[in-house]
């Protein structure tokens, strides 16, 4: 899949509908910066947002992933090509997310063991623990970013699925499968369930 081509296609269809990036963002409960990233080819719509985006732009998901209008002759060939590309893209994200988690666990354990069991001066132990903490914080934010991007959250009141802002995601109390968020559709705060879309 060519992200730049897809981005230009989204922009072209948005302009045909006389919509601004902000109009699209409001309809999808995302930020206009996200729409801008799509249109410049720096990102792709989340799987959960593709169908609603296509409904707004009056195109098919196959046309979105192809970055062009398709006639009947090209439709089936492009559909197969797009499915394979989408699976590869999601697989890369999944591998990157899990690899990051493993790296964080390993280096935190190594630094903790070194500080606890290797004979050294106290100030060096404090320095090692501080280093582990300094390295841990950005990695937690990285993992949070990947987790936020993987799927959507579903409001228990209205059933609306959405991707929260990064700030709302970070600040929301959470369990393994739920996060306390305000729904952009009904504006009620609740324990929204994490949904990983196929």
């Amino acid at each position: 899949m060519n992200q730049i081509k897809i981005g230009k296609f989204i922009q072209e269809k948005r302009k045909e509908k006389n919509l601004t990036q902000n109009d699209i963002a409001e309809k999808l409960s995302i930020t206009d910066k996200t729409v801008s990233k799509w249109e410049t080819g720096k990102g792709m719509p989340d799987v959960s947002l593709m169908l609603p985006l296509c409904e707004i732009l009056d195109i098919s998901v196959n046309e979105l992933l192809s970055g062009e209008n398709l006639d009947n002759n090209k439709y089936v060939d492009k559909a197969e090509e797009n499915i394979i590309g989408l699976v590869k893209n999601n697989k890369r994200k999944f591998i990157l997310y899990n690899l990051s988690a493993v790296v964080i666990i390993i280096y935190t354990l190594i630094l903790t063991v070194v500080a606890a069991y290797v004979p050294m001066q106290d100030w060096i132990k404090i320095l090692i623990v501080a280093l582990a903490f300094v390295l841990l914080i950005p990695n937690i934010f990285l993992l949070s970013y990947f987790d936020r991007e993987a799927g959507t959250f579903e409001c228990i009141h209205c059933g609306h699925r959405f991707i929260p802002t990064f700030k709302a995601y970070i600040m929301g109390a959470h369990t393994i499968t739920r996060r306390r968020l305000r729904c952009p559709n009904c504006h009620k705060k609740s324990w929204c369930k994490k949904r990983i879309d196929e």
Side-chain angles (χ1 to χ4, degrees):
M1 285 182 289
N2 185 332
Q3 285 188 197
I4 293 172
K5 184 180 178 185
I6 292 169
K8 287 179 180 174
F9 185 62
I10 291 171
Q11 184 180 51
E12 174 191 322
K13 290 297 175 182
R14 173 180 62 77
K15 287 180 177 178
E16 280 179 16
K17 295 282 183 185
N18 293 318
L19 296 169
T20 65
Q21 289 181 346
N22 197 48
D23 293 334
I24 300 282
E26 284 181 10
K27 289 175 186 284
L28 296 175
S29 302
I30 56 175
T31 65
D32 57 346
K33 287 181 184 175
T34 302
V35 179
S36 177
K37 277 173 59 176
W38 299 343
E39 291 187 359
T40 56
K42 294 177 183 170
M44 282 283 292
D46 187 80
V47 173
S48 62
L49 296 174
M50 285 184 184
L51 193 55
L53 175 63
C54 289
E55 288 171 1
I56 293 166
L57 300 177
D58 198 23
I59 57 174
S60 69
V61 173
N62 198 17
E63 288 174 318
L64 172 70
L65 295 175
S66 300
E68 61 184 316
N69 291 314
L70 299 173
D71 58 27
N72 291 337
N73 297 333
K74 284 185 171 179
Y75 203 84
V76 174
D77 292 338
K78 282 290 186 177
E80 290 174 2
E81 189 180 307
N82 290 331
I83 288 169
I84 291 167
L86 200 56
V87 168
K88 285 181 182 174
N89 188 37
N90 284 337
K91 191 174 182 181
R92 270 188 236 118
K93 281 184 181 177
F94 181 76
I95 290 169
L96 185 58
Y97 175 76
N98 285 299
L99 186 62
S100 299
V102 168
V103 168
I104 289 170
I105 291 166
I106 289 171
Y107 86 68
T108 303
L109 285 174
I110 289 171
L111 290 175
T112 304
V113 168
V114 167
Y117 294 107
V118 175
M120 63 184 80
Q121 295 178 356
D122 288 342
W123 71 270
I124 296 175
K125 287 185 179 190
I126 292 168
L127 187 65
I128 290 173
V129 171
L131 177 65
F133 182 75
V134 165
L135 294 174
L136 188 62
I137 297 301
N139 281 297
I140 288 173
F141 276 92
L142 180 67
L143 288 175
S144 297
Y145 173 79
F146 288 136
D147 185 53
R148 178 182 154 269
E149 293 285 314
T152 57
F153 287 89
E154 184 177 67
C155 175
I156 61 171
H157 297 290
C158 67
H160 179 67
R161 289 189 180 192
F162 64 97
I163 297 174
T165 63
F166 191 69
K167 181 181 176 185
Y169 178 88
I170 292 293
M171 300 302 286
H174 63 279
T175 64
I176 293 171
T177 60
R178 295 183 184 271
R179 192 167 288 265
R180 189 149 176 79
L181 299 165
R182 186 173 304 282
C183 174
N185 188 47
C186 68
H187 304 290
K188 292 181 181 174
K189 200 165 193 177
S190 64
W191 287 95
C192 298
K193 186 168 179 139
K194 179 77 173 184
R195 296 284 187 191
I196 304 294
D197 298 285
E198 288 80 26

